[in-house]
Amino acid sequence: MKTIPVAEVFGPTIQGEGYLAGRPTYFLRVGGCDFSCLWCDSAHAVLADQVSKLPRLTADMILEQLIALAATQSGPKWLTISGGNPALYELGEVVSGWKEWATAGQVAVETQGSKWKDWLVDVDMLTVSPKPPSSGMTNSDDFRLFMARADAFSAPVTLKVVVFDEVDYEFARKVHRQYNAVPFYLSCGTAMGGLSGLWVPSPLHQAAVGSPVIDSDYSLLDRYRWLAETAMHDPLMADVAVLPQLHVLAWGHVRGV
Amino acid sequence: MKTIPVAEVFGPTIQGEGYLAGRPTYFLRVGGCDFSCLWCDSAHAVLADQVSKLPRLTADMILEQLIALAATQSGPKWLTISGGNPALYELGEVVSGWKEWATAGQVAVETQGSKWKDWLVDVDMLTVSPKPPSSGMTNSDDFRLFMARADAFSAPVTLKVVVFDEVDYEFARKVHRQYNAVPFYLSCGTAMGGLSGLWVPSPLHQAAVGSPVIDSDYSLLDRYRWLAETAMHDPLMADVAVLPQLHVLAWGHVRGV
């Protein structure tokens, strides 16, 4: 039986970003990622030595944990599957199991779009988040294949780009220009600073060679103000939504919320 | 020729709340209101002695100001009309003028739902915000007539309720239960505290008799966390969005943003 490394199963909480921003949801965070973004805020689900220590669960075991949460703390109909990269695994049984158990349950998936899996077409919303230059990823263009596949299946898709600086913003513009019919979310990068608001290098960043790519003098709300003021004067971005990470504003970078 | 008291014409900015949260928009704030909510954050558009001093403009003059803004700072397609209560006035020419001038321009209106005007059916999104008990308004049930009228015209409607405390939250639940097919936004009350985060009584509040209805010891983000944690454990609120006032987070209670 196939097993999946699981970093976190938690909720209810509020989705902090993108299409479902502000909406109650449960979360499944799988471990393992084919990317290693410098500012990753979920290093515990990405770094190989940490992922190797995660419990490996079957779809049934994951559902059991979700149902245990939902049965005692009834609330959201949404389950958000994030990572790491959920598209590394076969999660179709988790999706169908949740939708059935939660009665009209809905599933959202977050992925950078580097890998496709056919179970993704059964999901109610795919948030594809191509990684901008500040991530240090050079294979971030692969999401275009994902978008073509999603389009072929008429899967519901939104795009979300995290922006830390002007170079990232230009990347976001290019993505939105190419997929201008796809709902688009600009998200300000917050990394590990939490409520203190100041950038703290992630473990991935600390391990990387070279100087920091991100100016540490800006708080989360400073970043949000800058991103909002940049986008609102940009005719190309007239129809996007610019959002902070609401969960970070509310709870900081604490796991399990 | 009919004239309208205008408190502010500004933009581009980011809509901080509700359906368009995070989206670039221009704003028209009309003066004059049939309500006087204790925590009103736009007293300059509500208090009679201040409204009487506002310039009174025709629809053409308002459009001229909007177009002057949009021509030099091109950006948003959205125009948000707020107040005060826009439904006190005939604004149909502003709506059609903006939609025409901005090429595929869109118009959102915010109102408490106490008054109906037929021009509202030409708007792309009506945000109806029934006022909860902490507002001190005893006629806040009138929005049900507005909802019936909007429904008869198939006008696009969302509901937004500002919540300061538990009593307000119960009011919000009741509204959502009655209109469970209408997209619903829970917004945490922030009043005049701005970035300092602490409640500062509004001029309307200061003029009111009696003790403050709102505990002043909570910051904006404290309020958001409380509201999020309350709603996310509430099965009835499983499908709502809980949002802070993004514009207050970004810029505080400064006019013209």
Side-chain angles (χ1 to χ4, degrees):
Chain A
M1 191 171 293
K2 291 238 174 103
T3 59
I4 295 136
V6 172
E8 294 171 274
V9 177
F10 64 98
T13 187
I14 295 285
Q15 170 60 273
E17 304 177 275
Y19 173 77
L20 288 179
R23 301 207 180 252
T25 181
Y26 293 97
F27 259 87
L28 162 62
R29 186 183 302 285
V30 302
C33 198
D34 46 322
F35 278 24
S36 54
C37 303
L38 290 176
W39 34 250
C40 178
D41 61 2
S42 303
H44 60 294
V46 173
L47 291 168
D49 62 332
Q50 296 198 37
V51 172
S52 66
K53 291 175 198 145
L54 293 174
R56 298 191 66 104
L57 308 182
T58 63
D60 278 351
M61 292 159 77
I62 292 171
L63 275 170
E64 232 170 71
Q65 290 201 12
L66 283 167
I67 289 167
L69 271 181
T72 54
Q73 310 200 46
S74 62
K77 292 285 187 184
W78 280 98
L79 166 63
T80 300
I81 307 179
S82 187
N85 184 1
L88 296 176
Y89 305 105
E90 293 302 337
L91 291 165
E93 283 173 52
V94 175
V95 172
S96 58
W98 175 258
K99 289 170 91 132
E100 195 177 320
W101 184 83
T103 317
Q106 294 181 285
V107 178
V109 165
E110 311 222 333
T111 175
Q112 63 265 46
S114 54
K115 310 274 179 192
W116 176 263
K117 286 278 190 296
D118 281 349
W119 62 267
L120 293 168
V121 304
D122 297 325
V123 161
D124 300 281
M125 184 50 73
L126 297 173
T127 294
V128 184
S129 54
K131 300 305 175 191
S134 69
S135 69
M137 294 296 100
T138 55
N139 48 347
S140 67
D141 276 348
D142 295 354
F143 80 95
R144 292 188 167 82
L145 298 171
F146 186 103
M147 294 297 283
R149 196 73 73 93
D151 189 50
F153 283 107
S154 301
V157 170
T158 62
L159 281 159
K160 182 184 77 180
V161 176
V162 172
V163 169
F164 278 94
D165 57 26
E166 288 81 357
V167 179
D168 288 354
Y169 184 77
E170 279 309 312
F171 173 85
R173 291 184 97 231
K174 198 172 144 199
V175 172
H176 183 46
R177 194 188 293 126
Q178 183 177 359
Y179 298 99
N180 60 10
V182 177
F184 192 91
Y185 295 85
L186 270 179
S187 205
C188 62
T190 61
M192 303 295 284
L195 274 183
S196 75
L198 295 181
W199 163 264
V200 178
S202 76
L204 285 159
H205 203 132
Q206 288 166 14
V209 179
S211 59
V213 292
I214 294 153
D215 187 335
S216 65
D217 285 344
Y218 292 101
S219 76
L220 191 163
L221 290 176
D222 285 333
R223 288 181 197 281
Y224 180 64
R225 185 166 48 245
W226 167 75
L227 188 58
E229 290 176 354
T230 302
M232 74 198 195
H233 288 100
D234 183 348
L236 188 78
M237 296 307 218
D239 58 350
V240 310
V242 191
L243 296 173
Q245 293 182 302
L246 296 175
H247 58 295
V248 177
L249 287 174
W251 297 289
H253 275 290
V254 179
R255 288 191 210 168
V257 295
Chain B
M1 192 170 293
K2 290 239 175 99
T3 59
I4 295 138
V6 172
E8 293 172 273
V9 177
F10 63 97
T13 187
I14 295 285
Q15 170 61 272
E17 304 176 274
Y19 173 77
L20 288 179
R23 304 209 178 250
T25 182
Y26 294 98
F27 258 88
L28 162 62
R29 186 184 301 286
V30 301
C33 198
D34 45 323
F35 277 23
S36 54
C37 302
L38 289 176
W39 35 249
C40 178
D41 61 3
S42 304
H44 60 294
V46 172
L47 290 168
D49 62 333
Q50 296 199 36
V51 172
S52 67
K53 291 176 197 142
L54 293 175
R56 298 192 66 104
L57 309 181
T58 63
D60 278 351
M61 292 161 77
I62 292 171
L63 274 170
E64 231 170 71
Q65 290 201 13
L66 282 167
I67 289 167
L69 271 182
T72 54
Q73 309 199 45
S74 63
K77 293 285 186 185
W78 280 99
L79 166 64
T80 300
I81 307 180
S82 187
N85 185 2
L88 295 177
Y89 305 105
E90 293 302 337
L91 291 165
E93 283 173 55
V94 174
V95 172
S96 58
W98 174 259
K99 290 171 89 132
E100 193 176 323
W101 184 83
T103 318
Q106 293 180 285
V107 179
V109 165
E110 311 222 333
T111 176
Q112 63 266 48
S114 54
K115 310 274 179 192
W116 176 263
K117 286 278 190 295
D118 281 349
W119 63 268
L120 293 169
V121 304
D122 297 325
V123 161
D124 300 280
M125 184 51 72
L126 297 173
T127 294
V128 184
S129 54
K131 300 306 176 192
S134 68
S135 69
M137 295 296 100
T138 54
N139 49 346
S140 67
D141 276 348
D142 295 354
F143 80 95
R144 293 188 166 84
L145 298 170
F146 185 104
M147 293 298 283
R149 196 72 74 94
D151 189 50
F153 283 108
S154 301
V157 170
T158 62
L159 281 159
K160 181 184 78 179
V161 176
V162 172
V163 169
F164 278 94
D165 57 26
E166 287 82 357
V167 179
D168 288 354
Y169 184 77
E170 280 308 311
F171 173 85
R173 292 184 95 228
K174 196 172 146 198
V175 171
H176 183 47
R177 193 187 294 128
Q178 183 177 357
Y179 298 99
N180 59 10
V182 177
F184 192 92
Y185 295 84
L186 269 178
S187 205
C188 61
T190 61
M192 302 295 285
L195 274 184
S196 74
L198 295 181
W199 163 263
V200 178
S202 76
L204 285 161
H205 203 129
Q206 287 166 13
V209 180
S211 59
V213 292
I214 294 153
D215 187 334
S216 65
D217 285 343
Y218 292 100
S219 77
L220 191 163
L221 290 177
D222 285 334
R223 287 180 198 284
Y224 180 64
R225 185 166 48 245
W226 167 74
L227 188 57
E229 289 175 355
T230 302
M232 75 198 195
H233 288 101
D234 183 348
L236 188 78
M237 296 308 218
D239 57 350
V240 311
V242 191
L243 296 174
Q245 293 182 303
L246 297 174
H247 58 294
V248 177
L249 287 174
W251 297 290
H253 275 291
V254 179
R255 287 192 209 167
V257 295

